Amino acid sequence: MRKKIVAGNWKMNMDYSTGIALAEGIRDYFKNKVPVCEVIICSPFIHLASLQNILKGSIIKYGAQNCHQEESGAYTGEISAGMIKSTGAEYVIIGHSERRTYFGEDDSLLNRKTKTALARGLKVIFCCGEVLAEREKEIHFEVVKRQLTDGLFNLTEEQMKNIVIAYEPVWAIGTGLTASPAQAQEMHRFIRENLEAGYGRKIAEETTILYGGSCKASNAAELFSMPDVDGGLIGGASLKKDEFCAIAEAVH
Ligand code: PEP
């Protein structure tokens, strides 16, 4: 059985105290519950060290939203995978569309970042997804296949066990437009088929594939009911405790 996951991506939101209060709220919500899915908070870097204490003994995991491709050195203002790991974080998001678009991160750089993060013992939530023009031209499968082939599919089988894939159609991120459950399922199936072609059936069946893009409490259950949708990567709705917790509880 593959792991189901609901991960919140706070992006560049929440100052120190509001972020800590949100993490505490999510922790307390799940205090006496055992959700079917793993619940992850991907906060800004400033919260990570504090989350170690706040989430101690809780089922909630945490991670970062980016890391540098080098292990250490003269990269002023950057954060390394090892630094993230040293806070007790388990995860890092790599290849979010906002990193690709605003920071020019291409597949080859994302591949380097992924390998560095894995080498430092982090699990990677690797994002892929087409922009609207690519879907309209009906090249969305081709685009996602290229992102995965160039960004991910030269990993070893052992490395692939620490990868979560997040399919996030860029036209659905932060727009209020959501992929229909059928559109999500079709792409997730395609991704799993490509995993199988490269890594065999076992790894394909065991890899968690998340959907991201305007997922909220009102549409989560329908999306998560698709056989190849193993949970969600949640942006805007992860900033509201009740909404985020309800999304996590929509996983069955
Ligand atoms: C995201 O940025 O990963 C995301 C899915 O955002 P939103 O849920 O706000 O569309």
Side-chain angles (χ1 to χ4, degrees), residues 72-76:
S72 64
Y75 301 100
T76 301

Side-chain angles (χ1 to χ4, degrees), residues 71-105:
E71 299 270 351
S72 64
Y75 301 100
T76 301
E78 290 295 320
I79 306 274
S80 73
M83 290 171 185
I84 294 167
K85 181 72 182 174
S86 73
T87 70
E90 275 186 44
Y91 285 91
V92 61
I93 299 173
I94 301 281
H96 191 280
S97 70
E98 288 149 18
R99 299 295 315 173
R100 293 175 186 265
T101 305
Y102 304 137
F103 301 93
E105 298 192 356

Side-chain angles (χ1 to χ4, degrees), residues 9 11 96 98 168 172-174 212-215 233-236:
N9 172 15
K11 310 194 187 192
H96 191 280
E98 288 149 18
E168 301 206 296
I173 296 180
S214 299
C215 185
L233 180 56
I234 317 299

Side-chain angles (χ1 to χ4, degrees), residues 27-76:
R27 174 200 65 193
D28 292 348
Y29 181 92
F30 284 107
K31 200 169 244 162
N32 298 313
K33 295 180 197 263
V34 185
V36 175
C37 63
E38 187 163 286
V39 180
I40 306 169
I41 293 170
C42 292
S43 74
F45 294 126
I46 59 160
H47 300 104
L48 292 178
S50 302
L51 290 180
Q52 184 158 33
N53 279 331
I54 288 165
L55 300 178
K56 194 175 278 166
S58 151
I59 52 118
I60 315 290
K61 314 275 188 199
Y62 60 100
Q65 302 166 19
N66 177 37
C67 68
H68 198 268
Q69 62 275 18
E70 299 295 342
E71 299 270 351
S72 64
Y75 301 100
T76 301

Side-chain angles (χ1 to χ4, degrees), residues 5-241:
I5 293 176
V6 166
N9 172 15
W10 291 0
K11 310 194 187 192
M12 197 173 72
N13 294 299
M14 299 281 143
D15 63 17
Y16 184 72
S17 57
T18 51
I20 294 305
L22 177 56
E24 286 172 343
I26 295 166
R27 174 200 65 193
D28 292 348
Y29 181 92
F30 284 107
K31 200 169 244 162
N32 298 313
K33 295 180 197 263
V34 185
V36 175
C37 63
E38 187 163 286
V39 180
I40 306 169
I41 293 170
C42 292
S43 74
F45 294 126
I46 59 160
H47 300 104
L48 292 178
S50 302
L51 290 180
Q52 184 158 33
N53 279 331
I54 288 165
L55 300 178
K56 194 175 278 166
S58 151
I59 52 118
I60 315 290
K61 314 275 188 199
Y62 60 100
Q65 302 166 19
N66 177 37
C67 68
H68 198 268
Q69 62 275 18
E70 299 295 342
E71 299 270 351
S72 64
Y75 301 100
T76 301
E78 290 295 320
I79 306 274
S80 73
M83 290 171 185
I84 294 167
K85 181 72 182 174
S86 73
T87 70
E90 275 186 44
Y91 285 91
V92 61
I93 299 173
I94 301 281
H96 191 280
S97 70
E98 288 149 18
R99 299 295 315 173
R100 293 175 186 265
T101 305
Y102 304 137
F103 301 93
E105 298 192 356
D106 62 15
D107 296 326
S108 130
L109 176 69
L110 297 173
N111 186 247
R112 288 175 63 202
K113 288 190 177 208
T114 299
K115 287 178 176 162
T116 305
L118 292 171
R120 285 287 148 189
L122 292 168
K123 296 180 188 131
V124 171
I125 301 175
F126 188 90
C127 302
C128 59
E130 80 286 355
V131 299
L132 185 59
E134 291 163 340
R135 181 159 280 264
E136 285 172 349
K137 277 196 261 165
E138 298 185 3
I139 55 167
H140 43 295
F141 291 112
E142 209 176 293
V143 168
V144 168
K145 185 170 181 165
R146 192 211 65 229
Q147 290 171 337
L148 294 176
T149 304
D150 296 351
L152 214 52
F153 286 173
N154 62 359
L155 300 183
T156 64
E157 282 184 26
E158 233 12 71
Q159 287 173 317
M160 197 52 91
K161 290 180 186 160
N162 288 312
I163 298 290
V164 171
I165 295 175
Y167 169 58
E168 301 206 296
V170 181
W171 47 271
I173 296 180
T175 59
L177 292 174
T178 313
S180 68
Q183 284 172 322
Q185 168 58 24
E186 184 183 42
M187 184 59 87
H188 284 224
R189 186 73 233 154
F190 175 76
I191 292 170
R192 210 176 297 288
E193 281 165 7
N194 277 277
L195 273 168
E196 184 168 349
Y199 290 93
R201 194 170 174 76
K202 188 168 187 301
I203 290 201
E205 284 305 320
E206 287 177 357
T207 301
T208 300
I209 308 178
L210 307 180
Y211 168 78
S214 299
C215 185
K216 34 192 184 278
S218 58
N219 59 23
E222 213 190 344
L223 284 158
F224 300 166
S225 70
M226 295 290 113
D228 288 290
V229 178
D230 306 316
L233 180 56
I234 317 299
S238 73
L239 301 175
K240 296 175 214 134
K241 185 201 82 182

